[in-house]
Coordinates of all heavy atoms in Angstrom, one line a residue:
R17 N -117.6 -75.5 -40.6 CA -117.4 -76.9 -40.6 C -115.8 -77.2 -40.7 O -115.2 -78.0 -40.0 CB -118.1 -77.7 -41.7 CG -117.9 -79.1 -41.9 CD -118.7 -79.8 -42.9 NE -120.1 -79.4 -42.8 CZ -120.9 -79.7 -43.8 NH1 -120.5 -80.2 -45.0 NH2 -122.1 -79.3 -43.7
A18 N -115.2 -76.4 -41.6 CA -113.7 -76.5 -41.7 C -113.0 -76.1 -40.5 O -112.0 -76.8 -40.0 CB -113.3 -75.7 -42.9
A19 N -113.5 -75.0 -39.8 CA -113.0 -74.6 -38.5 C -113.1 -75.9 -37.4 O -112.2 -75.9 -36.6 CB -113.6 -73.4 -37.9
R20 N -114.2 -76.3 -37.5 CA -114.5 -77.4 -36.5 C -113.6 -78.7 -36.6 O -113.2 -79.4 -35.8 CB -115.9 -77.9 -36.4 CG -116.8 -76.9 -35.8 CD -118.2 -77.5 -35.5 NE -118.9 -78.0 -36.7 CZ -119.7 -77.3 -37.4 NH1 -120.0 -76.1 -37.2 NH2 -120.1 -78.0 -38.5
M21 N -113.2 -78.8 -37.9 CA -112.4 -80.0 -38.3 C -111.0 -79.7 -38.2 O -110.2 -80.7 -38.2 CB -112.7 -80.4 -39.8 CG -114.1 -80.9 -40.0 SD -114.4 -81.3 -41.8 CE -113.2 -82.6 -42.1
Q22 N -110.5 -78.5 -37.9 CA -109.2 -78.2 -37.6 C -108.7 -78.7 -36.3 O -109.3 -78.7 -35.3 CB -109.0 -76.7 -37.6 CG -109.1 -76.0 -39.0 CD -108.0 -76.3 -39.9 OE1 -106.9 -76.6 -39.5 NE2 -108.1 -76.3 -41.2
T23 N -107.7 -79.4 -36.3 CA -107.1 -80.1 -35.1 C -105.8 -79.4 -34.8 O -105.0 -78.8 -35.6 CB -106.9 -81.6 -35.3 OG1 -106.0 -81.8 -36.4 CG2 -108.2 -82.2 -35.6
S24 N -105.5 -79.6 -33.5 CA -104.1 -79.1 -33.0 C -103.0 -79.9 -33.5 O -103.3 -81.2 -33.9 CB -104.1 -79.0 -31.5 OG -104.1 -80.3 -31.0
P25 N -101.8 -79.5 -33.5 CA -100.7 -80.4 -34.0 C -100.6 -81.7 -33.1 O -100.2 -82.8 -33.7 CB -99.4 -79.4 -33.8 CG -100.0 -78.1 -33.8 CD -101.3 -78.1 -33.2
L26 N -100.8 -81.6 -31.8 CA -100.8 -82.9 -31.0 C -101.9 -83.7 -31.4 O -101.6 -85.0 -31.6 CB -101.0 -82.4 -29.5 CG -101.0 -83.6 -28.6 CD1 -99.8 -84.4 -28.7 CD2 -101.3 -83.2 -27.2
Q27 N -103.2 -83.2 -31.6 CA -104.3 -84.1 -32.1 C -103.9 -84.8 -33.5 O -104.2 -86.1 -33.8 CB -105.5 -83.3 -32.3 CG -106.2 -83.0 -30.9 CD -107.3 -82.1 -31.0 OE1 -107.4 -81.3 -31.9 NE2 -108.4 -82.3 -30.2
W28 N -103.3 -84.0 -34.4 CA -102.9 -84.5 -35.7 C -101.9 -85.6 -35.6 O -102.0 -86.7 -36.2 CB -102.4 -83.4 -36.6 CG -102.0 -83.8 -38.0 CD1 -102.7 -83.8 -39.1 CD2 -100.8 -84.3 -38.4 NE1 -102.1 -84.3 -40.2 CE2 -100.8 -84.8 -39.8 CE3 -99.5 -84.7 -37.7 CZ2 -99.8 -85.2 -40.4 CZ3 -98.6 -85.2 -38.4 CH2 -98.7 -85.5 -39.8
L29 N -100.9 -85.4 -34.7 CA -99.9 -86.4 -34.6 C -100.5 -87.7 -33.9 O -100.2 -88.7 -34.3 CB -98.8 -85.9 -33.6 CG -97.6 -86.8 -33.2 CD1 -96.9 -87.2 -34.4 CD2 -96.7 -86.2 -32.2
L30 N -101.4 -87.5 -32.9 CA -101.9 -88.8 -32.2 C -102.7 -89.5 -33.3 O -102.7 -90.7 -33.4 CB -102.8 -88.3 -31.1 CG -102.1 -87.8 -29.9 CD1 -103.1 -87.4 -28.8 CD2 -101.2 -88.8 -29.4
H31 N -103.5 -88.8 -34.1 CA -104.4 -89.6 -35.0 C -103.4 -90.2 -36.1 O -103.8 -91.4 -36.4 CB -105.3 -88.5 -35.7 CG -106.2 -89.1 -36.8 ND1 -107.2 -90.0 -36.5 CD2 -106.2 -89.1 -38.2 CE1 -107.8 -90.5 -37.7 NE2 -107.1 -89.8 -38.7
H32 N -102.5 -89.5 -36.6 CA -101.6 -90.1 -37.6 C -100.6 -91.2 -37.1 O -100.2 -92.0 -37.8 CB -100.9 -89.1 -38.4 CG -101.9 -88.4 -39.3 ND1 -102.7 -87.3 -38.9 CD2 -102.0 -88.4 -40.7 CE1 -103.4 -86.8 -39.9 NE2 -103.1 -87.5 -41.1
Y33 N -100.4 -91.1 -35.8 CA -99.7 -92.2 -35.2 C -100.4 -93.5 -35.1 O -100.0 -94.6 -35.4 CB -99.3 -91.8 -33.8 CG -99.2 -92.9 -32.8 CD1 -98.2 -93.9 -32.9 CD2 -100.2 -93.1 -31.9 CE1 -98.2 -95.0 -32.1 CE2 -100.2 -94.2 -30.9 CZ -99.2 -95.1 -31.1 OH -99.2 -96.2 -30.2
L34 N -101.8 -93.4 -35.0 CA -102.6 -94.6 -34.9 C -102.8 -95.2 -36.1 O -102.8 -96.4 -36.3 CB -103.9 -94.2 -34.1 CG -103.9 -93.7 -32.7 CD1 -105.2 -93.2 -32.3 CD2 -103.4 -94.9 -31.8
F35 N -103.1 -94.3 -37.2 CA -103.3 -94.9 -38.5 C -103.1 -93.8 -39.6 O -103.5 -92.6 -39.5 CB -104.8 -95.3 -38.7 CG -105.0 -96.0 -40.0 CD1 -104.6 -97.3 -40.3 CD2 -105.8 -95.2 -41.0 CE1 -104.9 -97.8 -41.5 CE2 -106.1 -95.8 -42.2 CZ -105.6 -97.0 -42.5
F36 N -102.3 -94.2 -40.5 CA -102.2 -93.3 -41.7 C -101.6 -94.2 -42.9 O -101.1 -95.2 -42.7 CB -101.3 -92.1 -41.6 CG -99.8 -92.4 -41.3 CD1 -98.9 -92.4 -42.3 CD2 -99.3 -92.7 -40.0 CE1 -97.5 -92.7 -42.0 CE2 -98.0 -93.0 -39.7 CZ -97.1 -93.1 -40.7
R37 N -101.9 -93.6 -44.2 CA -101.5 -94.3 -45.4 C -100.5 -93.6 -46.1 O -100.3 -92.4 -46.1 CB -102.8 -94.5 -46.3 CG -103.8 -95.4 -45.7 CD -105.0 -95.5 -46.7 NE -105.9 -96.5 -46.5 CZ -106.9 -96.9 -47.2 NH1 -107.3 -96.4 -48.3 NH2 -107.8 -97.9 -46.7
I38 N -99.5 -94.4 -46.8 CA -98.6 -93.8 -47.7 C -98.6 -94.4 -49.1 O -98.3 -95.6 -49.3 CB -97.1 -94.2 -47.2 CG1 -97.0 -93.7 -45.7 CG2 -96.1 -93.5 -48.0 CD1 -95.8 -94.0 -45.0
P39 N -99.4 -93.7 -50.0 CA -99.5 -94.2 -51.4 C -98.1 -94.3 -52.0 O -97.3 -93.4 -51.9 CB -100.4 -93.2 -52.0 CG -101.0 -92.4 -51.0 CD -100.0 -92.4 -49.8
L40 N -97.9 -95.4 -52.7 CA -96.6 -95.6 -53.3 C -96.7 -95.6 -54.8 O -95.9 -95.1 -55.5 CB -96.0 -97.0 -52.8 CG -95.7 -97.1 -51.3 CD1 -95.2 -98.5 -51.0 CD2 -94.8 -96.0 -50.9
V41 N -97.7 -96.3 -55.4 CA -97.9 -96.4 -56.8 C -99.2 -96.2 -57.2 O -100.2 -96.3 -56.5 CB -97.4 -97.8 -57.3 CG1 -96.0 -98.0 -57.1 CG2 -98.2 -98.9 -56.6
R42 N -99.5 -95.7 -58.5 CA -100.7 -95.6 -59.2 C -100.7 -96.7 -60.2 O -100.2 -96.4 -61.4 CB -101.0 -94.3 -59.8 CG -101.0 -93.2 -58.7 CD -101.3 -91.8 -59.3 NE -101.4 -90.7 -58.3 CZ -102.5 -90.4 -57.5 NH1 -103.5 -91.2 -57.8 NH2 -102.4 -89.4 -56.8
P43 N -101.3 -97.8 -60.0 CA -101.0 -99.0 -60.7 C -102.0 -99.3 -61.9 O -101.9 -100.4 -62.6 CB -101.1 -100.1 -59.8 CG -102.3 -99.6 -58.9 CD -102.1 -98.2 -58.8
Q44 N -102.9 -98.3 -62.2 CA -104.0 -98.7 -63.1 C -103.5 -99.1 -64.5 O -103.9 -100.0 -65.1 CB -104.9 -97.6 -63.3 CG -106.3 -97.9 -63.9 CD -107.0 -98.9 -63.4 OE1 -107.1 -99.1 -62.1 NE2 -107.5 -99.9 -64.1
V45 N -102.4 -98.5 -65.0 CA -102.0 -98.6 -66.3 C -101.3 -100.0 -66.4 O -101.7 -100.9 -67.3 CB -101.0 -97.5 -66.8 CG1 -100.5 -98.0 -68.2 CG2 -101.7 -96.3 -66.9
W46 N -100.5 -100.4 -65.5 CA -99.7 -101.7 -65.6 C -100.7 -102.8 -65.3 O -100.5 -104.0 -65.6 CB -98.4 -101.7 -64.9 CG -98.4 -101.3 -63.6 CD1 -98.1 -100.1 -62.9 CD2 -98.5 -102.2 -62.4 NE1 -98.1 -100.3 -61.5 CE2 -98.4 -101.5 -61.2 CE3 -98.9 -103.6 -62.3 CZ2 -98.5 -102.1 -60.0 CZ3 -99.0 -104.2 -61.1 CH2 -98.9 -103.4 -59.9
L47 N -101.6 -102.5 -64.3 CA -102.6 -103.5 -64.0 C -103.4 -104.0 -65.3 O -103.7 -105.2 -65.6 CB -103.6 -103.1 -63.0 CG -103.0 -103.2 -61.5 CD1 -104.0 -102.6 -60.6 CD2 -102.6 -104.6 -61.1
A48 N -103.8 -103.0 -66.0 CA -104.6 -103.2 -67.3 C -103.8 -104.0 -68.3 O -104.2 -104.9 -69.0 CB -105.1 -101.9 -67.8
G49 N -102.4 -103.7 -68.3 CA -101.6 -104.4 -69.2 C -101.2 -105.8 -68.7 O -101.1 -106.7 -69.5
L50 N -101.2 -106.1 -67.6 CA -100.9 -107.5 -66.9 C -102.0 -108.3 -67.0 O -101.9 -109.5 -67.1 CB -100.5 -107.3 -65.4 CG -100.1 -108.5 -64.8 CD1 -99.0 -109.2 -65.4 CD2 -99.7 -108.2 -63.3
L51 N -103.3 -107.8 -66.9 CA -104.5 -108.6 -66.8 C -104.7 -109.8 -68.0 O -105.0 -110.8 -67.7 CB -105.7 -107.6 -66.8 CG -107.1 -108.4 -66.6 CD1 -107.1 -109.0 -65.2 CD2 -108.2 -107.4 -66.6
P52 N -104.3 -109.4 -69.3 CA -104.5 -110.5 -70.2 C -103.7 -111.7 -70.0 O -104.0 -112.8 -70.4 CB -104.2 -109.8 -71.5 CG -104.4 -108.3 -71.3 CD -104.1 -108.0 -69.8
Y53 N -102.5 -111.5 -69.3 CA -101.6 -112.5 -69.1 C -102.0 -113.5 -68.0 O -101.5 -114.5 -67.8 CB -100.2 -111.9 -69.0 CG -99.6 -111.2 -70.1 CD1 -99.7 -109.8 -70.1 CD2 -99.1 -111.9 -71.1 CE1 -99.1 -109.0 -71.2 CE2 -98.5 -111.2 -72.2 CZ -98.6 -109.8 -72.3 OH -98.1 -109.1 -73.3
V54 N -102.8 -112.9 -67.1 CA -103.2 -113.7 -65.9 C -104.6 -114.0 -65.8 O -105.3 -114.4 -64.9 CB -102.9 -112.9 -64.6 CG1 -101.3 -112.8 -64.5 CG2 -103.5 -111.6 -64.5
D55 N -105.3 -113.8 -67.0 CA -106.8 -114.0 -67.1 C -107.1 -115.4 -66.8 O -108.3 -115.7 -66.4 CB -107.3 -113.4 -68.4 CG -108.9 -113.4 -68.4 OD1 -109.3 -112.7 -67.6 OD2 -109.5 -114.0 -69.2
W56 N -106.2 -116.3 -67.2 CA -106.5 -117.8 -66.9 C -106.6 -118.1 -65.5 O -107.3 -119.1 -65.1 CB -105.4 -118.6 -67.5 CG -104.0 -118.2 -67.0 CD1 -103.2 -117.4 -67.3 CD2 -103.4 -118.9 -65.9 NE1 -102.0 -117.3 -66.6 CE2 -102.2 -118.2 -65.7 CE3 -103.7 -119.9 -64.9 CZ2 -101.3 -118.6 -64.6 CZ3 -102.9 -120.3 -63.9 CH2 -101.7 -119.6 -63.8

C-alpha cells in the first residue's frame, strides 16, 4: 500500500500546487484562556 501511494516528484508538485496547508499556530492553550472573556 505504501508503495502504491508513493508518487513521483512531478505528481507531488502537481498535487501540492493545487492544494496544501501550512500550519502556523497551535492555539488550544490561548483559546482556552480567551474563552472566559468572550463567553458573553
Side-chain angles (χ1 to χ4, degrees):
R17 185 180 303 169
R20 289 194 301 269
M21 295 177 62
Q22 289 291 332
T23 58
S24 65
L26 178 60
Q27 290 176 321
W28 182 93
L29 178 62
L30 292 179
H31 177 74
H32 287 79
Y33 144 71
L34 296 172
F35 179 79
F36 65 94
R37 289 181 172 183
I38 305 175
L40 297 179
V41 294
R42 298 185 178 275
Q44 190 58 41
V45 175
W46 58 264
L47 283 175
L50 179 63
L51 187 61
Y53 297 99
V54 296
D55 193 57
W56 57 273

